[in-house]
Amino acid sequence: MTTDPFPSPRTALVTGGGSPRGIGRALAHRLAAQDWAVAVADIDGTAARAVASELADSYGVPTMGARLDVGDPASVREGVTRVEQALPPLVGLANLAGVSSPVEILDVTVDEWDRVVDINLRGVFLTCQAVLPGMIERGIGRIVNVSSISAQRGGGTYSKAPYSAAKAGIIGLSRAMAREVSPRGITVNTVAPGPIDTDIMGGRLTEERKAAMATDVLVGRVGTPDEVAALMAFLLGPDAGYITAATYDINGGLQVS
Ligand SMILES: NC(=O)c1ccc[n+]([C@@H]2O[C@H](COP(=O)([O-])OP(=O)(O)OC[C@H]3O[C@@H](n4cnc5c(N)ncnc54)[C@H](O)[C@@H]3O)[C@@H](O)[C@H]2O)c1
């Protein structure tokens, strides 16, 4: 039983939800199946709209799909305003938008640093700051940000320093926001996945690459997008009101800490 005034209907905004084989799309499906209205936002507006209409067709929930660049303050502001005008109260924010970066430290240019940090970290700051006023006004909100095992292990699967730094920053940012907004009814949590079978690490993973990535994973395989989506859907849901400022490892035991 929940003690929160969890509204119905309610909306979740999923950034980075356009990718056909990504975690964001898997989460959007889970949420729509649980009767959330879902706004799918992605730098690829066509892909975001395709997922949104897929959800409307499959689950009959209100949806919206739009191009949104999480690193651009104006794009984020405009996107969040549109969602708030068009859909039921915005209760959930899931930040999946991200890019990888396999560049070694001596070769990282300032442009590459800015690209990776702007999308992965500044994007989380901007989207959270844009949704928080409405959530505070309504007294309810669930924010789930996506870090990575790269934050804990300094990479080790594909991406390197700027990605690890940005993903580590997400943990600190989320905890700091949780301190400020949890007393107002808003939870802020982080999930830190290990290697997941998506296309973010330089394209579709071959069986050989998956096997190599699974070498030190205790359960002996890479994870699926839906396994991460299941955890995130729980943290966004009505039963997670006593969880905030937490970081959840979901890595098959690759990181034991
Ligand atoms: N796959 C993994 O192994 C893994 C592990 C740990 C963390 N993650 C994180 O999970 C999240 C989802 O990644 P995924 O594996 O589903 O990859 P993905 O590439 O399938 O999805 C990332 C999505 O972000 C979108 N995007 C990129 N730049 C954007 C921007 N500026 N504005 C809005 N959208 C933008 C892309 O278009 C894409 O749809 C990312 O933050 C990633 O860093 C993934």
Side-chain angles (χ1 to χ4, degrees), residues 166-191:
K167 291 298 187 183
I170 288 173
I171 296 174
L173 172 63
S174 301
R175 289 176 178 170
M177 289 190 296
R179 276 190 190 275
E180 292 191 39
V181 301
S182 298
R184 321 285 290 267
I186 297 139
T187 62
V188 187
N189 292 294
T190 307
V191 300

Side-chain angles (χ1 to χ4, degrees), residues 137-195:
E137 197 181 304
R138 292 183 291 274
I140 180 83
R142 296 271 196 274
I143 296 176
V144 182
N145 297 321
V146 181
S147 178
S148 167
I149 195 168
S150 287
Q152 298 149 323
R153 292 175 35 117
T157 42
Y158 179 74
S159 285
K160 294 190 164 55
Y163 182 85
S164 295
K167 291 298 187 183
I170 288 173
I171 296 174
L173 172 63
S174 301
R175 289 176 178 170
M177 289 190 296
R179 276 190 190 275
E180 292 191 39
V181 301
S182 298
R184 321 285 290 267
I186 297 139
T187 62
V188 187
N189 292 294
T190 307
V191 300

Side-chain angles (χ1 to χ4, degrees), residues 21-23 26 193-198 221-230 250:
R21 293 184 3 93
I23 300 166
I196 307 299
D197 186 9
T198 73
R221 61 174 175 83
V222 300
T224 68
D226 198 47
E227 287 173 322
V228 182
I250 174 160

Side-chain angles (χ1 to χ4, degrees), residues 15-25 41-44 47 67-72 75 95-100 115 118-120 146-150 157 159 163 167 170 191-201 205 213 223 225 228 232 250:
T15 75
S19 177
R21 293 184 3 93
I23 300 166
R25 177 169 166 264
D42 204 286
I43 191 82
D44 183 342
R67 182 187 183 279
L68 184 154
D69 178 354
V70 293
D72 173 6
S75 174
N95 269 313
L96 279 307
V99 285
S100 60
R115 179 186 77 89
D118 281 359
I119 296 170
N120 289 299
V146 181
S147 178
S148 167
I149 195 168
S150 287
T157 42
S159 285
Y163 182 85
K167 291 298 187 183
I170 288 173
V191 300
I196 307 299
D197 186 9
T198 73
D199 301 340
I200 198 172
M201 291 175 282
L205 297 175
M213 283 177 183
V228 182
M232 294 184 72
I250 174 160

Side-chain angles (χ1 to χ4, degrees), residues 199-225:
D199 301 340
I200 198 172
M201 291 175 282
R204 194 166 182 143
L205 297 175
T206 61
E207 291 308 315
E208 292 72 31
R209 279 188 77 196
K210 282 192 257 186
M213 283 177 183
T215 305
D216 294 322
V217 177
L218 298 185
V219 305
R221 61 174 175 83
V222 300
T224 68

